[in-house]
């Protein structure tokens, strides 16, 4: 009665459901490095190096816990490079009586899994992913009959379910569910941002870096220096460092952007959380404990917990509720090709160049860079939603389709017609100037609307709204925007639209 237990690259948790009830005498745990998974979008070099290193370390931990592990390295000569053939090969050699796996984070792979009983001729158990705090059924029940699926209300339910930041009467601590009004400040000058920690490079990491260098030279991104945690112990060190040193200022500066500072007060835990090295509830409890011990203020702690308990769970709920139709949505009919400067080609827009630089160097940029710089630019210029999604999925080390797609298509591109966002996150250069120091380094001027030195975001912002006027004029959350446009008068309106069309042409020619 031996079972083959398959662990995917983003399931590196000893508490994963596919390991429950494992029989160390008979069962075999399998992990495989697959060229098809590394290339179906050309993942960032650092992302591949992170996943392969973490997988190898995890396999070692399983072995030292006494389990039989079948680990297929990328350069194993017998490696067929894809899930189906690797499992077939394993079944032929091991002859298990069943295959056990935890549901994947991508619809594409779930469809494959459903074929597996037929293809392999043995039963396949596809188990729930119990790392998440909300099941698909719970999310569907919450969504049932609602006109709008607002994250804020979902978040309150999850907080109640797990009794996070509640007082003894089950009311939110401090009297409010949400302290965002105290957040979203630009960075104060002179504030010293704590240095991030780095980890000793194991021989596993060194071997993987060599492999990635050799096998993926054409993938985007800089591989070294490689600073990622690759084990649960290291990820916990990262988490504790964040809670002790950075959480107190997380809330206030969550939306700030500073040249040369990719991380600011962000936690950098998404890659570890999404790959299974950390679990969501332990993170929220650690943040809550910091608040209760008086080490971090409520605005920061609540804001941070909301990202994980609220946004992350909500985004996953949306993905599984609406797939596969969700993936085909393109509500604003965005079709322009993705400009080469998303891949690092020169652009004079400092904000875009800086965000792409952070992405290239670290396989990371923080939320506001993703949403209000690269996302906002793609929204305003109508870049093809599939190309934009593919970019986000490839370049960030925390990206898997369940989390990347609703964030990109729904939140950043408003391509799902308003399921995730009640209004588009469209902004002109004014917002970027307020929240960052980027404009100080830019050849464009955020205060200028037309002419050669005008910030491209300004005219593009109005042009976008006017192009989609039918959809947005009646939006309750955008009451004054169109009255401002109306007050501009015909001449100014025409000048803005001309400026936008020159900018769009320059974007096509990659000379922006
Ligand atoms: P922090 O700012 O410290 O936040 C703490 C944690 O909250 C994160 O680690 C993350 O787990 C969670 N979180 C915060 N916002 C979200 C959100 N909107 N959705 C899901 N989790 C959230 N996040 C991913 O994990 N993978 C992605 O592929 C991804 N793609 C994105 C694409 C776009 C266009 C946008 C706008 C956002 C995307 N996000 C994605 C959400 C967010 O940007 C990242 O989770 C965050 O930047 C990760 O950095 P951090 O760990 O320092 O986060
Ligand atoms: C993203 C990724 C990469 C780069 N490589 C592998 C791999 O070699 N083996 C594997 O099991 N998974 C990999 N993944 C993750 C998958 O593409 C996919 O996102 C997850 O399995 C979904 O749960
Ligand atoms: Fe970006 Fe415009 Fe500011 Fe330049 S001026 S950094 S393009 S917002």
């Amino acid at each position: 009665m031996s079972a083959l237990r398959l662990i995917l690259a983003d399931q590196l948790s000893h508490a994963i459901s596919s390991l429950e009830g494992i029989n160390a005498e008979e069962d075999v745990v399998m992990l495989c490095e697959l060229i098809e998974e590394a290339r179906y979008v050309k993942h960032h070099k650092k992302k591949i190096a992170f996943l392969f290193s973490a997988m190898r370390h995890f396999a070692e931990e399983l072995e030292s816990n006494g389990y039989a592990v079948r680990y297929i390295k990328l350069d194993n000569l017998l490696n067929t490079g894809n899930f189906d053939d690797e499992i077939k090969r394993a079944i032929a050699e091991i002859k298990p009586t069943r295959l056990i796996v935890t549901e994947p984070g991508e619809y594409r792979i779930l469809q494959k899994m459903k074929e597996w009983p037929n293809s392999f001729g043995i039963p396949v158990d596809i188990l729930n992913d119990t790392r998440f705090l909300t099941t698909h059924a719970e999310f569907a029940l919450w969504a049932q009959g609602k006109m709008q699926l607002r994250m804020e209300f979902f978040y309150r339910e999850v907080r109640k379910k797990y009794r996070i930041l509640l007082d003894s009467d089950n009311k939110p601590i401090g009297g409010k569910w949400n302290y965002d009004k105290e957040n979203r400040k630009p960075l104060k000058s002179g504030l010293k941002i704590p240095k991030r920690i780095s980890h000793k490079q194991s021989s596993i990491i060194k071997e993987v870096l060599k492999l990635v260098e050799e096998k993926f030279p054409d993938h985007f991104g800089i591989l070294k220096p490689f600073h990622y945690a690759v084990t649960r112990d290291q990820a916990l060190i990262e988490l504790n460092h964040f809670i002790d040193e950075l959480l107190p200022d997380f809330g206030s500066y969550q939306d700030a952007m500073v040249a040369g500072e990719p991380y600011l007060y962000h936690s950098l835990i998404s890659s570890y959380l999404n790959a299974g090295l950390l679990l969501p509830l332990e993170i929220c409890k650690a943040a809550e404990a910091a608040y209760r011990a008086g080490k971090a203020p409520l605005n920061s702690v609540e804001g941070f917990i909301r990202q994980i308990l609220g946004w992350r769970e909500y985004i996953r709920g949306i993905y599984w509720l609406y797939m596969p139709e969700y993936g085909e949505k393109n509500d604003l009919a965005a079709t322009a090709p993705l400009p080469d400067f998303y891949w690092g080609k020169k652009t004079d827009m400092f904000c875009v160049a800086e965000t792409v630089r952070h992405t290239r160097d670290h396989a990371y940029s923080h939320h506001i860079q993703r949403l209000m710089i690269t996302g906002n630019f793609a929204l305003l210029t109508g870049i093809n939603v599939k190309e934009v999604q593919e970019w986000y999925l490839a370049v960030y080390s925390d990206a898997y389709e369940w989390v990347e797609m609703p964030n990109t298509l729904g939140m950043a591109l408003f391509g799902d017609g308003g399921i995730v966002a009640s209004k588009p996150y469209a902004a002109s250069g004014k917002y970027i100037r307020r929240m960052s120091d980027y404009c100080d380094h830019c050849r464009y001027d955020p205060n200028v609307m037309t002419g050669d030195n005008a910030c491209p975001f300004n005219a593009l912002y109005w042009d976008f709204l006017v192009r989609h006027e039918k959809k947005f004029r009646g939006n309750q959350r955008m009451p004054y925007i169109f009255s401002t446009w109306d007050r501009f008068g015909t001449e100014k309106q025409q000048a803005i639209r001309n400026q936008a069309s020159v900018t769009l042409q320059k974007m096509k020619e990659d000379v922006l």
Side-chain angles (χ1 to χ4, degrees):
M1 285 297 285
S2 72
L4 179 63
R5 294 170 182 266
L6 176 69
I7 307 258
L8 309 179
D10 56 344
Q11 299 180 340
L12 308 179
S13 165
H14 293 282
I16 196 83
S17 53
S18 53
L19 289 178
E20 266 168 36
I22 184 169
N23 180 341
E25 306 296 315
E26 295 184 342
D27 296 353
V28 175
V29 185
M30 170 167 158
L31 295 100
C32 35
E33 296 172 5
L34 301 170
I35 197 76
E36 195 171 282
E37 293 307 309
R39 289 229 174 113
Y40 85 94
V41 295
K42 283 175 137 191
H43 293 288
H44 193 296
K45 289 184 185 125
K46 270 203 168 97
K47 178 180 192 176
I48 301 174
F50 161 64
L51 283 177
F52 288 4
S53 301
M55 286 166 79
R56 290 183 188 197
H57 275 282
F58 187 70
E60 267 196 4
E61 289 171 12
L62 288 171
E63 275 172 346
S64 65
N65 289 347
Y67 300 121
V69 177
R70 178 184 171 93
Y71 191 96
I72 307 297
K73 290 185 176 174
L74 188 88
D75 52 1
N76 179 326
L77 292 177
L78 299 177
N79 187 341
T80 54
N82 66 77
F83 280 120
D84 285 37
D85 291 327
E86 272 317 290
I87 297 168
K88 247 183 225 153
R89 214 159 63 79
I91 291 175
E93 286 172 30
I94 300 165
K95 307 206 169 22
T97 51
R98 64 192 315 115
L99 174 63
I100 300 177
V101 65
T102 296
E103 60 179 322
E106 300 196 355
Y107 184 84
R108 164 186 71 94
I109 298 180
L110 182 61
Q111 294 317 101
K112 278 186 205 285
M113 285 182 178
K114 287 184 176 163
E115 296 295 322
W116 287 351
N118 272 340
S119 343
F120 305 144
I122 56 171
V124 178
D125 302 340
I126 306 175
L127 306 176
N128 289 341
D129 194 338
T130 51
R131 287 176 297 168
F132 289 92
L133 303 174
T134 319
T135 64
H136 302 313
E138 281 170 328
F139 191 83
L141 193 65
W142 172 77
Q144 208 172 41
K146 290 194 171 58
M147 294 283 285
Q148 288 194 316
L149 303 183
R150 290 292 151 250
M151 194 288 299
E152 181 63 31
F153 299 111
F154 167 76
Y155 160 63
R156 293 177 191 180
E157 296 307 313
V158 188
R159 248 175 82 183
K160 283 189 226 159
K161 177 176 169 192
Y162 288 94
R163 302 201 38 74
I164 299 284
L165 288 181
L166 299 188
D167 63 20
S168 51
D169 297 328
N170 278 341
K171 296 270 169 352
I173 278 186
K176 287 194 291 184
W177 289 102
N178 182 315
Y179 289 85
D180 245 5
K181 284 224 167 73
E182 296 167 38
N183 295 340
R184 301 180 177 155
K185 296 178 188 148
L187 204 74
K188 273 193 284 206
S189 66
L191 207 66
K192 204 164 173 328
I193 300 154
K195 223 173 137 343
R196 309 309 289 224
I197 44 177
S198 57
H199 303 276
K200 200 170 152 268
Q201 293 216 339
S202 61
S203 54
I204 287 183
I205 295 182
K206 286 181 190 147
E207 194 181 298
V208 167
L209 292 181
K210 208 162 148 269
L211 177 80
V212 173
E213 199 99 77
E214 270 170 33
K215 302 285 182 192
F216 305 100
D218 56 330
H219 286 215
F220 180 68
I222 285 175
L223 187 57
K224 294 180 192 167
F226 182 82
H227 55 281
Y228 279 71
V230 296
T231 64
R232 173 164 166 79
D233 285 350
Q234 290 176 341
L236 283 169
I237 293 172
E238 293 266 349
L239 173 63
N240 292 332
H241 174 73
F242 167 73
I243 299 277
D244 294 342
E245 306 288 332
L246 299 134
L247 178 60
D249 287 310
F250 171 85
S252 299
Y253 305 118
Q254 200 180 338
D255 288 8
M257 296 174 280
V258 179
E261 293 286 353
Y263 306 134
L264 297 168
Y265 294 93
H266 291 273
S267 66
L268 319 186
I269 56 163
S270 51
S271 306
Y272 313 133
L273 180 54
N274 295 350
L277 301 181
L278 296 174
L279 295 171
L281 205 53
E282 70 185 346
I283 298 170
C284 295
K285 287 196 165 157
E288 180 175 17
Y291 167 71
R292 291 192 188 270
K295 292 180 180 162
L298 191 53
N299 67 308
S300 277
V301 173
E302 185 282 314
F304 178 69
I305 287 176
R306 179 163 15 96
Q307 306 309 311
I308 293 169
L309 217 69
W311 276 111
R312 184 170 184 270
E313 295 287 325
Y314 167 85
I315 285 288
R316 176 176 184 258
I318 295 283
Y319 178 78
W320 288 110
L321 187 65
Y322 290 113
M323 279 301 275
E325 296 77 19
Y326 197 80
E328 296 312 313
K329 288 184 183 288
N330 185 3
D331 206 60
L332 299 181
T335 54
L338 187 79
D340 283 348
F341 51 72
Y342 275 77
W343 298 110
K345 203 173 162 208
K346 183 182 173 303
T347 167
D348 283 349
M349 294 180 290
F350 183 86
C351 52
V352 175
E354 182 72 350
T355 301
V356 172
R357 256 193 302 278
H358 293 174
T359 305
R360 178 200 64 189
D361 294 352
H362 309 294
Y364 177 88
S365 72
H366 70 67
H367 186 67
I368 296 303
Q369 293 175 300
R370 295 188 205 193
L371 184 62
M372 301 310 294
I373 306 292
T374 40
N376 182 25
F377 186 83
L379 170 75
L380 299 185
T381 53
I383 300 175
N384 184 320
V385 291
K386 290 240 189 233
E387 284 192 51
V388 182
Q389 286 177 79
E390 195 168 306
W391 184 80
Y392 277 94
L393 188 57
V395 302
Y396 291 114
S397 62
D398 56 19
Y400 306 90
E401 201 177 83
W402 68 266
V403 57
E404 171 277 322
M405 183 185 281
N407 269 303
T408 308
L409 180 69
M411 195 184 302
L413 302 180
F414 207 74
D416 67 1
I419 295 175
V420 167
S422 50
K423 71 178 178 70
Y425 283 93
S428 68
K430 237 196 241 166
Y431 170 87
I432 297 169
R433 187 197 54 185
R434 188 169 72 249
M435 295 312 300
S436 78
D437 65 353
Y438 290 164
C439 305
D440 300 346
H441 305 270
C442 190
R443 92 148 179 87
Y444 295 117
D445 187 338
N447 299 313
V448 177
M449 182 72 78
T450 54
D452 185 50
N453 68 337
C455 167
F457 282 84
N458 291 342
L460 287 173
Y461 169 76
W462 287 113
D463 190 62
F464 165 77
L465 290 171
V466 175
R467 275 198 329 266
H468 299 291
E469 186 172 357
K470 268 207 192 116
K471 273 207 162 68
F472 299 139
R473 195 180 264 276
N475 187 311
Q476 307 280 316
R477 294 200 58 206
M478 304 164 81
Y480 306 116
I481 294 178
F482 282 95
S483 45
T484 305
W485 172 254
D486 295 339
R487 278 199 307 275
F488 282 166
T490 329
E491 204 175 314
K492 183 167 175 183
Q493 286 175 348
Q494 197 49 54
I496 291 173
R497 301 219 61 188
N498 290 346
Q499 176 78 18
S501 78
V502 170
T503 306
L504 289 170
Q505 185 54 35
K506 282 187 175 169
M507 175 179 99
K508 267 195 204 143
E509 293 161 12
D510 253 318
V511 291
L512 206 53

